[in-house]
Amino acid sequence: MAQNTTLSVPAGTWTQITDADVTSITFQIASNAIAFVKGTTDATAPTSTVGALRYSPNQGELNTALADLFPGISAARVWVFATSNINVFVSHA
């Protein structure tokens, strides 16, 4: 299902920011905190930040293919982890 919204991501837990399998995504860290972003092949949450992409406040991606973000896997879902509560803008088809 397509979405274009801002999500609340609670501290200390992996939060899925895609609500279905996607091939590309736009997102921005909309809070003043570091966030880790990881792709998975299914709806199973990651278990660590090892191998995750690190984003600073106000950083993100603009209509980027998951194959380009996570070339080592056939990613279909995207997850965010932060050490403090943050907001993440996300848009995908």
Side-chain angles (χ1 to χ4, degrees):
M1 170 183 262
Q3 68 175 337
N4 187 71
T5 191
T6 298
L7 301 174
S8 295
V9 174
T13 186
W14 283 101
T15 301
Q16 186 176 193
I17 62 170
T18 50
D19 57 4
D21 288 355
V22 300
T23 57
S24 65
I25 192 167
T26 294
F27 69 87
Q28 183 178 36
I29 307 307
S31 296
N32 193 22
I34 301 294
F36 296 91
V37 176
K38 209 167 192 181
T40 62
T41 58
D42 57 24
T44 303
T47 57
S48 79
T49 59
V50 174
L53 300 172
R54 183 181 182 274
Y55 288 86
S56 296
N58 302 314
Q59 286 186 322
E61 300 292 340
L62 179 60
N63 197 27
T64 303
L66 268 57
D68 292 335
L69 283 175
F70 312 108
I73 63 170
S74 297
R77 304 287 177 111
V78 179
W79 301 77
V80 174
F81 181 92
T83 56
S84 62
N85 295 341
I86 64 170
N87 291 318
V88 177
F89 168 77
V90 62
S91 183
H92 63 72

